[in-house]
Amino acid sequence: MKVAVLAGDGIGPEIIAEAIKALRALDLGIEFEEALVGGAATDAHGDPLPPATLALCKAADAVLFGAVGGPKYDTLPRPQRPEQGLLRLRKELGLFANLRPALIYPELAAASTLKPEVVAGLDLLIVRELTGDIYFGQPRGIRTLDNGEREGFDTMRYSESEIRRIGHVAFKAARKRVKRVCSVDKANVLETTQLWREVMTELGRDYPDVELTHMYVDNAAMQLLRNPKQFDVLVTGNMFGDILSDEASMLTGSIGMLPSASLDANAKGLYEPIHGSAPDIAGKGIANPLATILSAAMMLRYTFNGEEAAARLERAVAKVLAQGLRTGDIAAAGEPTIGTRAMGDAVVNAL
Ligand code: NAD
């Protein structure tokens, strides 16, 4: 079991250190090897994904990723920007399936901006296609028209096979849960997603034990706020998934609690918290490491088939929350808080 560790920028190194500490405490014999990515790699090598980092990730079984980016890099030419390192890595590793659970811990139900009765008990999984859609479709660009006006354009594309493989991931995930898949599209307006709906419907016949429903993305955005507990697995394309998964993350109250997995066809994966590098709190030792620790648990479950160890780690996180330990982002007004390292230590103690 070899894990490439890419801490990245901002709070990345602080939160990754705690996840490694928790994984070591499980004593599973995992080997860790670190490499630079994002702004840190641009600073050192002028490239946010240097060849040595990519080679390490290709050779490893899984990648544990912190976060990349920062204001310092926002004015660089696009290829040198930290986010390009992550986008290229996803593409190079063929990580087409992004899994984002949104789970409410009972103790944190009050942290949501929604009423506790709307979110209490929430447990949904967003399955987002990650390597296609308008984010990668060609042609794209900004051109000057004959009349001298500039025009920006991008292309939304999905092939049948791309839709089919993300569909399989969603249906299989649903089989391990409540067996309901809601496929989100905009089939009334966009041909690409009309095909999406047709292919999902065909695929659904291979999973008669799973209930398949369809929803337009605008309605899904509304339903996530109105009654999020109606959902089990939501499957959607890259752009809709980008937006809906951020919306779903806020149902739980803190971006610092939410893990993610990005998988290839053979369960190799990149595991990362959904939040960014949080430059506003970087270096202060106050970032919440739990999203990264829960990402490590997903790594044990999906890449290393270690359901038991994954569940142990998740129970340890639930335990520290039940003990009342809070980093600033999940503390109620006036509640005492602890720092990144103390939270990591508490998880290790709970293990
Ligand atoms: P962000 O997620 O970094 O931060 C948003 C807010 O949430 C900030 O106030 C931050 O302090 C807080 N926050 C985030 N993670 C936290 C944690 N673990 N504990 C406590 N508080 C936390 O988003 P942003 O500010 O929009 O972006 C900052 C940088 O991160 C940008 O350069 C952006 O491009 C990059 N980014 C990277 C990724 C990634 O690496 N996958 C994802 C999103 C944003």
Side-chain angles (χ1 to χ4, degrees):
M1 292 186 284
K2 190 167 171 188
V3 175
V5 179
L6 311 189
D9 309 317
I11 60 170
E14 301 167 48
I15 53 179
I16 282 285
E18 302 312 313
I20 304 274
K21 196 156 79 183
L23 284 170
R24 285 198 199 283
L26 284 166
D27 202 17
L28 301 169
I30 297 174
E31 268 179 53
F32 300 98
E33 199 172 327
E34 293 183 23
L36 293 176
V37 75
T42 296
D43 285 342
H45 304 291
D47 180 355
L49 184 65
T53 300
L54 180 58
L56 175 69
C57 293
K58 284 192 167 165
D61 300 303
V63 180
L64 190 59
F65 194 97
V68 293
K72 174 178 164 193
Y73 308 105
D74 286 347
T75 51
L76 287 177
R78 191 171 294 276
Q80 287 169 32
R81 289 203 202 148
E83 295 76 9
Q84 290 302 311
L86 180 55
L87 289 177
R88 269 171 53 209
L89 189 55
R90 286 174 180 162
K91 195 79 183 170
E92 288 279 350
L93 296 182
L95 305 174
F96 67 90
N98 185 223
L99 274 55
R100 282 201 193 183
L103 180 83
I104 287 259
Y105 291 87
E107 300 83 5
L108 300 183
S112 174
T113 49
L114 297 192
K115 294 181 186 129
E117 64 267 28
V118 175
V119 293
L122 176 79
D123 181 359
L124 69 87
L125 176 69
I126 295 197
V127 177
R128 164 188 170 196
E129 202 288 331
L130 206 55
T131 53
D133 206 349
I134 197 164
Y135 290 0
F136 292 95
Q138 294 290 342
R140 61 189 295 166
I142 299 173
R143 62 189 162 201
T144 304
L145 301 174
D146 291 344
N147 66 5
E149 188 187 18
R150 285 181 304 156
E151 177 189 63
F153 59 102
D154 298 274
T155 308
M156 179 180 256
R157 282 175 189 272
Y158 264 123
S159 69
E160 219 174 329
S161 59
E162 285 176 307
I163 302 168
R164 208 173 286 281
R165 66 180 183 174
I166 193 72
H168 279 299
V169 171
F171 281 106
K172 284 182 182 151
R175 276 189 167 159
K176 294 185 184 160
R177 299 171 47 96
V178 186
K179 297 195 173 65
R180 285 192 288 121
V181 169
C182 177
S183 170
V184 175
D185 60 41
K186 188 76 182 168
N188 49 342
V189 181
L190 298 168
E191 270 76 5
T192 311
T193 74
Q194 182 187 325
L195 179 69
W196 177 282
R197 187 176 285 216
E198 283 169 24
V199 174
M200 285 294 169
T201 304
E202 284 163 26
L203 202 58
R205 297 191 192 113
D206 297 343
Y207 297 87
D209 51 322
V210 178
E211 178 196 295
L212 171 67
T213 55
H214 303 274
M215 196 178 273
Y216 295 136
V217 62
D218 41 351
N219 188 24
M222 186 185 78
Q223 294 298 335
L224 272 173
L225 299 182
R226 197 184 70 85
N227 177 18
K229 284 188 272 182
Q230 70 186 281
F231 297 115
D232 177 26
V233 174
L234 271 174
V235 62
T236 190
N238 203 346
M239 179 166 63
F240 298 161
D242 190 1
I243 299 164
L244 292 182
S245 56
D246 264 26
E247 186 188 353
S249 73
M250 270 299 106
L251 301 174
T252 71
S254 174
I255 201 165
M257 288 300 302
L258 296 172
S260 78
S262 305
L263 306 176
D264 76 359
N266 306 307
K268 176 171 178 159
L270 181 144
Y271 299 87
E272 57 173 333
I274 69 153
H275 59 71
S277 56
D280 53 335
I281 57 167
K284 295 185 179 163
I286 58 171
N288 185 349
L290 295 179
T292 316
I293 291 173
L294 292 168
S295 302
M298 289 186 87
M299 177 177 86
L300 298 177
R301 172 171 296 123
Y302 289 104
T303 293
F304 297 123
N305 239 331
E307 178 55 40
E308 201 184 308
R312 250 187 95 194
L313 198 47
E314 288 164 351
R315 279 199 305 273
V317 169
K319 191 167 174 184
V320 300
L321 293 175
Q323 287 166 348
L325 299 173
R326 303 280 185 270
T327 44
D329 58 310
I330 51 173
E335 234 180 349
T337 60
I338 59 172
T340 311
R341 212 172 286 165
M343 189 55 108
D345 289 342
V347 171
V348 169
N349 284 338
L351 280 174

